Amino acid sequence: MTDHSQAMTAKYRQDYRAPLYWIDSIDLDFQLQEPLTQVTAISRLRRNGEHNEPLVLDGEGLSLHSVRVDGVPFTQYEQGESSLTLFNLPAECVLTIVTLLDPAANTALEGLYKSGDAYCTQCEAEGFRRITYYLDRPDILARYSTRITADKSQFPFLLSNGNKVDSGDLGDGRHFVQWQDPFPKPSYLFALVAGDFDVERSHYTTKSGRKVALEIFVDKGNLDRAGFAMESLINSMRWDEQRFGLEYDLDIYMIVAVDFFNMGAMENKGLNIFNSKFVLANPATATDSDYHGIERVIGHEYFHNWTGNRVTCRDWFQLSLKEGLTVFRDQEFSSDLGSRGVNRINNVRTVRGPQFAEDAGPMAHPIRPDVVIEMNNFYTLTVYEKGSEVIRMLHTLLGEAAFQAGMRLYFERFDGQAVTCDDFVQAMEDASGVDLGRFRRWYSQSGTPELTVTDEYDAESGVYRLHVSQHTPPTQDQPQKLPLHIPLDIELYDEQGAVIPLQYQGKAIGNVLDLLEAEQTFVFDRVAVKPVPSLLRDFSAPVKLHFDYSDEALAFLMRHARNEFARWDAAQMLINKAVIEGVARVQHGQGVELSQTLLAAFVAILDDGELDPALKAEILALPGEATLAELFEVADIDAIHQVRNEIHTSLAHAFGARLTATYESLRLPAYQVVHADMAKRALKGVVLGYLAALDAGSADLLVRHQYATADNMTDTLAALQVANSHLLPCRSELLADFEGKWAKDGLVLDNWLRLVGSKPAEDVLEEVKQAMAHPTFSIRNPNRLRALVASFAMNNQVQFHARDGRGYRFLTDLLIELNEVNPQVASRLITPLIQFKRLDEGRKALIRTELTRLANLEGLARDLFEKVSKALQQ
Ligand code: B3K
Ligand code: ZN
């Protein structure tokens, strides 16, 4: 269901105007029935001030049945492509609009649609206008009541936001439920679900004594996979009370898991709707990282109840107000419950890899964008992940106590309102007294700042200087850049690894330096020996750092840095250096050579008996090829792949017999989802990969054995991944076995689809096409599609970028089909085709041809139009 009438016009942040009318309440009535669902919306309207302007309501793809004003049929309206304009309305009135919808035909999964047999909704950002004509903007806060009527045997559960206030049988096999949400809310938080489910029930008593019923709705037969989600929900509720002092505010909290969903989950008030991927888990079906994902997303949506729902966004340009802040909160939640170091590493991987790539591409935008064509295109890594880094910098600059004071002031001022990012920063500034003047530029400036640091040591005077300069290269959206306020967290070490106190002329200096100018020098005295600096500790700002470290200095930091993140980061820098040198050598027909310092440093990590195995696994896992590509102006895809593999093999040889010993030492008794065991499994997986690089023959046996004896999905999948990435003899047999076992279970089969898509061999596209014919595969299901296609297009660099362009052609053909089916998902999958800045001219030309093919497509959806046209402007 795509209508091709959507306007391609851009909207600008600066054009914000307060609404001309307010809507104080809306009563919705849904008659769910085949073929068409009937929706009656009764809104109480109030003109905002004195004017004669008409009321312009938003609507997309709706069939209008009737309009009444104060109960009387009304005809003074005009229907546009995506609007309904009503003239000469009284200053206050009751508007009744009846629309007809066809949810079963809605494959875009926005508005009211069917996921399997159940009805469900997705309204953020602008999906409510696909249900009824409305002022579909987040600054319209209304009280909702929702009455749902449907067949009782097919749809025993009828759910919406707030509290259930009435229900009953209607005699004809149909029943109804009436819901009332006491909290005024924007339309994007509206939700409705109707279906038949199994329900996992529990409850939580808040610190002030409110007893909250907790209900998780899953497809029939999946109850044995709902327990961990419930545990995560309870942990989230407790954590938000303890760390932020925030309590839940309704008597019921519901989560519904559905199979057809465009993103991870949605924070609708009191009724979250989740992609089943982020709810369902048991040891047989879910990996450790699936468990982490569930905990994170359950937390994220729960935390939105305050940061997003109680205080929401004035307009969609302010999206990071709720998303950056809520990602920060979910990261802190995961870090407080699990390993802070490992969480930080994984978050930084996302920023340095895909977020930096976004900055370097045609969709570059500030965390608070200035211009948008399709809002769904701005649920980006920049708004979310960089947005969270900006909140984290505030936290670093203010400290926990002042940051929490800022949060309290923010809620005191703005609870129940729709506000802006400026309002948030103002609250932080007022509560802390810290001048955030220059810091505000992080909201308006796009791109990745680069810090260049040099140092200078004078042995005679004991003075050490750090010269720091900052520069943000131009981005496609913004040629001019200004200096930013960058917190630079540092530490200095002497030769033994002892910390050198930071001071100057008798005054102590904190670890976080305030970089405000384009160039600044920081001076320290009483430094007895030339120190090794640890810079940008914990990734204290989302920037690229340039400092001319020697291999020895990095090896030293890998061993001595006090902070887990800094040790990992030093290892990354050491590998990056080796990759840059290796690629140059390979391009000159030479082989890769690694320094003894590097090899010894990595061996020492494997040998380190004190180190958390989870951190070991992170240090030993080499950066991915896409992240490595970011190190180059022009990335030589094939050389990067070759060099990375050779580094992996050389490390495997340096580790030698330690690998088998380590592997054996990591065997565990029965599976448990606890950090200590997850850490060991992670390391075991990485070690198995090195064993395969060392000796494919014996690894084949080991992999078969691990696959055959695993009592959990993590070990099973680790075996399959190694078989796949090293093309071990057992690969096809094990993959076939796995496919046979899980053929009917989409979520588990996604693992198989990912393996197929990432096969490092020339025939991968044939296997991908065969997998598309699998009975469980459907291009209508975003999870299936992403598993197969994103693994090919984003994680199989050499094959996707094959020089004959077949990868590009395949993806474009698919996007053309998806443009009709689900433009939002198409718009996510196009990413590797628009980020071509670092490719060579030959590949760029091939990609342009495909993008031009898309640009000329009749009925190109707005989502793709925005990205394709920007990409072609590059
Ligand atoms: N707020 C939703 C995302 C909606 C995406 C709309 N295309 C989930 C989240 O960030 O929590
Ligand atoms: Zn969110």
Side-chain angles (χ1 to χ4, degrees), residues 112-131:
L112 179 67
Y113 66 93
K114 288 197 87 173
S115 171
D117 294 328
Y119 287 94
C120 64
T121 54
Q122 172 55 36
C123 292
E124 188 178 358
E126 299 178 329
F128 192 72
R129 63 187 62 183
R130 295 174 183 273
I131 294 173

Side-chain angles (χ1 to χ4, degrees), residues 124 263 265 267 300-301 304 322-323 376 379 384 824:
E124 188 178 358
M263 56 293 158
E267 70 264 26
H300 181 96
E301 305 314 329
H304 266 315
K322 74 177 177 82
E323 295 305 346
N376 284 325
Y379 287 75
Y384 276 63
Q824 226 181 103

